[in-house]
Amino acid sequence: MTKRFIQTKDLPKTLWCDDSGVMTLPAMLVERWKELLTENNLEEKASEKAEKGFVGGLSKEDTDKHLVWRYTGSCARIILSLLDPQNHLSDVSDAYATIFSGNKVFLADLPSGSGAGSISILTTLAELRKEGVVPRLPLEIVIVAGEISESARDYYDYQLKALKPILEEQAIWVEHESVCWDVLSPMSTVDLTKKLTLKSQNCTTKLLLLSNFTGFLEKERKWKDAQPQFEQIFMHSRDQVSAAIWIEPNQKSVTSFMTRTIDWFQKLFKSLIPLPITNENIDTATNSKCKHPILMGEFRVGLKIMRFDLPERKS
């Protein structure tokens, strides 16, 4: 029987309104985001209309634009995958339930950007505990965040440092390290995988979280160059209880990318996975609406998601 990370009927009103079908980002997440905007004089830009087709980049200017225009949408996709209020992502919810049942969890966040993945998971867990939806059992989370942009890593570290005391009030203790990682560099990926191996020791469960990568891998045609690095990361992420979750916007270009990625995964682990994997096993989509944290009204949230159960690593 499929487990769920959280039952739809138990979702708190602070995160989901069943009547309107609208999500709300966790208040502690929004507060840290607004602090970043204020610290970097970006409040006015956050109220401007986003540039059409903008997806991000390596420069400080591009990182700032992503922070003001795309960050909350990235957060909303991660949170939608966690809460799954419309029951479209049962297999993903099952993966989250299994991973976060451990008392010491390892999370690899790649590429971390300014922190949307990790911070969305942490603040949603804390909000669910605060609202009494899930028990406040002691939970240690060890995070390694890989990101090529120095300014994005700085924004990530700033938010997590501010959040740690708040998370500890909900019995969540976080150890984290953000590292420079270039997906096209074999040497950079060797350094990253060593870090993942060292930091994940003594963790009971492991989650490899990948998100917002198709803009680079698909549109800029970098998948072929990046594939050897992904093979290394996936191979080294195996453990007794481990999974990979890959989340992207629900766009046409993502569908073909995910189909190829599923084929790649099956070939990579063909000697360890006896049955063929189909798109229906691990590839699905869902959509919702989310209350905008600054502007009036809501914005649409759509995601495509893949869940990979990594083959068990023998002791």
Side-chain angles (χ1 to χ4, degrees), residues 158-178:
Y158 176 94
Q159 294 178 88
L160 205 46
K161 181 179 179 181
L163 279 169
K164 282 183 179 180
I166 301 169
L167 297 170
E168 288 172 7
E169 292 175 2
Q170 302 304 323
I172 300 172
W173 286 270
V174 178
E175 173 191 340
H176 94 283
E177 183 173 351
S178 53

Side-chain angles (χ1 to χ4, degrees), residues 181 185-194 196-197 208 226-238 264 268-269:
W181 173 56
S185 167
M187 187 65 69
S188 174
T189 303
V190 167
D191 292 342
L192 175 68
T193 53
K194 285 182 179 178
L196 299 181
T197 301
L208 171 60
Q227 187 173 313
Q229 285 70 253
F230 279 109
E231 290 176 359
Q232 188 173 160
I233 289 168
F234 270 66
M235 286 289 194
H236 284 83
S237 295
R238 295 170 53 220
W264 162 81
L268 180 64
F269 292 114

Side-chain angles (χ1 to χ4, degrees), residues 22 32 111 167 180 186 239 285 291 299 302:
V22 175
R32 302 295 83 72
L167 297 170
C180 181
D239 214 316
K291 181 180 178 182
F299 61 89

Side-chain angles (χ1 to χ4, degrees), residues 41-305:
N41 300 312
L42 295 170
E43 293 169 295
E44 184 176 343
K45 198 170 194 66
S47 63
E48 297 174 0
K49 189 175 181 180
E51 294 175 3
K52 188 175 181 180
F54 176 78
V55 294
L58 297 183
S59 69
K60 173 71 161 58
E61 181 183 5
D62 283 343
T63 298
D64 287 348
K65 288 179 179 179
H66 190 276
L67 183 72
V68 299
W69 292 329
R70 297 287 183 255
Y71 182 79
T72 52
S74 296
C75 292
R77 281 192 293 274
I78 300 295
I79 294 168
L80 179 59
S81 77
L82 276 163
L83 301 182
D84 184 29
Q86 299 170 11
N87 293 306
H88 291 163
L89 311 174
S90 296
D91 288 339
V92 176
S93 188
D94 172 63
Y96 281 127
T98 299
I99 294 297
F100 288 101
S101 64
N103 56 17
K104 188 171 185 179
V105 177
F106 179 75
L107 171 60
D109 187 356
L110 307 174
S112 67
S114 298
S118 300
I119 288 168
S120 296
I121 288 174
L122 293 170
T123 54
T124 301
L125 285 172
E127 184 66 24
L128 293 171
R129 288 172 173 231
K130 181 181 177 183
E131 292 297 313
V133 176
V134 295
R136 293 176 65 253
L137 299 173
L139 177 63
E140 294 181 60
I141 302 181
V142 180
I143 302 172
V144 172
E147 168 60 41
I148 194 171
S149 167
E150 182 179 5
S151 51
R153 295 196 306 272
D154 289 343
Y155 287 163
Y156 175 96
D157 293 341
Y158 176 94
Q159 294 178 88
L160 205 46
K161 181 179 179 181
L163 279 169
K164 282 183 179 180
I166 301 169
L167 297 170
E168 288 172 7
E169 292 175 2
Q170 302 304 323
I172 300 172
W173 286 270
V174 178
E175 173 191 340
H176 94 283
E177 183 173 351
S178 53
V179 300
C180 181
W181 173 56
D182 178 0
V183 68
L184 300 182
S185 167
M187 187 65 69
S188 174
T189 303
V190 167
D191 292 342
L192 175 68
T193 53
K194 285 182 179 178
K195 185 73 67 175
L196 299 181
T197 301
L198 287 171
K199 289 290 185 178
S200 63
Q201 290 180 358
N202 302 318
C203 291
T204 51
T205 57
K206 295 170 67 171
L207 174 63
L208 171 60
L209 178 68
L210 302 121
S211 59
N212 300 326
F213 235 152
T214 50
F216 178 72
L217 296 174
E218 182 73 0
K219 294 178 182 177
E220 297 188 26
R221 302 181 183 275
K222 297 295 187 182
W223 170 247
K224 185 176 180 180
D225 295 333
Q227 187 173 313
Q229 285 70 253
F230 279 109
E231 290 176 359
Q232 188 173 160
I233 289 168
F234 270 66
M235 286 289 194
H236 284 83
S237 295
R238 295 170 53 220
D239 214 316
Q240 270 65 51
V241 182
S242 56
I245 292 177
W246 196 321
I247 300 172
E248 296 288 346
N250 192 1
Q251 300 171 349
K252 288 183 179 179
S253 60
V254 172
T255 302
S256 59
F257 172 79
M258 287 193 166
T259 299
R260 291 199 307 274
T261 306
I262 292 167
D263 291 340
W264 162 81
F265 179 81
Q266 182 163 308
K267 290 175 183 175
L268 180 64
F269 292 114
K270 62 182 178 181
S271 64
L272 300 173
I273 301 176
L275 297 176
I277 302 172
T278 64
N279 290 29
E280 290 73 19
N281 292 136
I282 57 178
D283 172 17
T284 189
T286 191
N287 298 279
S288 186
K289 293 181 291 184
C290 183
K291 181 180 178 182
H292 200 287
I294 291 181
L295 306 177
M296 294 291 291
E298 303 101 23
F299 61 89
R300 293 197 62 79
V301 185
L303 65 85
K304 291 278 289 181
I305 191 165

